[in-house]
Amino acid sequence: MVAKIGAKAPNLGVSKWIQGLPTNIDKEKDNVVLVEVFQVNCPGCFLYGIPQAIDIYQKYRKEGVTVLGIATAFEDFDKNTIENLELLLAKGEVIGETLKALSQYGQLIDGNKLPYKIPFPVGMDLLKKEDEPISKTKMDEIIQANVPGFESYSDSQKSEIIERVKQYLKSKEYSAQTFEEFALRGTPSTILIDKKGVLRDVSFGTNNFLEENIKKMLNE
């Protein structure tokens, strides 16, 4: 089931809360909830997404805003792990592409550590290993959604597309519940839920309207 804007938000799929007290959307009624979804191996998450979420947390946590972090994985499953998330939260250590980009921008201390601490609760998305064989139905679904006019392609082009879809499905070694349920397109992403538990906004990338939307929802 995919969460719909304007409908009640489903609870987040969390395998474990690594930092902060375990909570979820149904426990945060009467608060505006901002969920910051990131990957440990995602430079943009640490350059824009997380600093913005920390800013919101510091400004509005006493006004009735709950900020939650969810670390997910839709790629680089060897790096976006619970172990690397624990390192990040306990010691501020970053890895992989994040380490590369942040050191390039001179944003690290002691070589590989963030200069700030993430102050809100953070959980790990619920990852499920995809054991199902790759079915023709699943492949057809993806082709239909992403390749308009597939039937008009030549046989060799068709085989190439089918092969690419097969590789894509193989690379999705795991499915991540929160990522899939909120139909996220990448990281960083923000999920906004109002005081009544209704899903109001899902945004991917830099979100310039986040604070404005939160203020509006606080006044409702």
Side-chain angles (χ1 to χ4, degrees):
M1 269 294 283
V2 171
K4 286 192 171 57
I5 304 275
K8 199 172 172 320
N11 265 345
L12 306 165
V14 178
S15 58
K16 185 182 179 188
W17 286 98
I18 309 295
Q19 174 171 290
L21 292 171
T23 184
N24 220 311
I25 289 162
D26 58 357
K27 295 198 171 78
E28 297 294 342
K29 281 273 166 38
D30 304 328
N31 273 0
V32 171
V33 181
L34 164 65
V35 184
E36 181 66 41
V37 185
F38 66 98
Q39 291 186 106
V40 179
N41 192 40
C42 161
C45 297
F46 292 87
L47 288 167
Y48 318 109
I50 290 168
Q52 187 182 31
I54 292 174
D55 183 52
I56 297 285
Y57 171 82
Q58 285 164 344
K59 282 187 188 165
Y60 298 101
R61 66 166 193 259
K62 294 191 172 120
E63 314 282 321
V65 175
T66 296
V67 179
L68 302 172
I70 294 291
T72 190
F74 61 88
E75 60 190 358
D76 304 331
F77 298 109
D78 55 327
K79 293 190 180 74
N80 292 312
T81 61
I82 203 158
E83 292 74 24
N84 284 336
L85 177 64
E86 286 171 334
L87 261 182
L88 171 79
L89 295 169
K91 297 181 175 167
E93 283 180 23
V94 292
I95 51 107
E97 293 305 316
T98 305
L99 175 62
K100 240 187 263 175
L102 293 182
S103 55
Q104 215 175 333
Y105 287 107
Q107 291 201 7
L108 294 174
I109 51 174
D110 299 342
N112 68 343
K113 292 191 171 83
L114 288 178
Y116 56 82
K117 191 162 169 30
I118 298 173
F120 41 80
V122 180
M124 182 75 194
D125 205 345
L126 195 55
L127 298 185
K128 213 170 77 225
K129 199 154 176 45
E130 291 292 4
D131 289 327
E132 291 168 28
I134 295 170
S135 70
K136 185 175 178 325
T137 321
K138 186 81 185 141
M139 287 177 62
D140 289 347
E141 265 174 29
I142 291 176
I143 289 169
Q144 258 172 351
N146 296 289
V147 189
F150 176 70
E151 287 311 319
S152 61
Y153 285 85
S154 71
D155 285 350
S156 69
Q157 285 172 317
K158 279 183 186 167
S159 327
E160 199 181 305
I161 291 166
I162 289 167
E163 191 46 46
R164 289 226 305 265
V165 170
K166 226 183 245 168
Q167 289 313 318
Y168 164 74
L169 286 168
K170 271 191 193 153
S171 77
K172 279 182 65 56
E173 204 181 323
Y174 294 91
S175 69
Q177 188 180 318
T178 300
F179 190 84
E180 309 249 328
E181 226 167 37
F182 286 89
L184 302 181
R185 296 190 323 223
T187 52
S189 281
T190 52
I191 299 169
L192 262 189
I193 295 139
D194 70 16
K195 297 177 195 173
K196 296 195 172 104
V198 172
L199 179 63
R200 296 288 288 274
D201 183 63
V202 175
S203 289
F204 165 53
T206 316
N207 185 344
N208 298 322
F209 302 104
L210 187 61
E211 190 165 355
E212 206 177 299
N213 285 339
I214 286 173
K215 279 188 191 160
K216 227 181 278 172
M217 285 158 60
L218 282 173
N219 290 325
E220 286 171 359

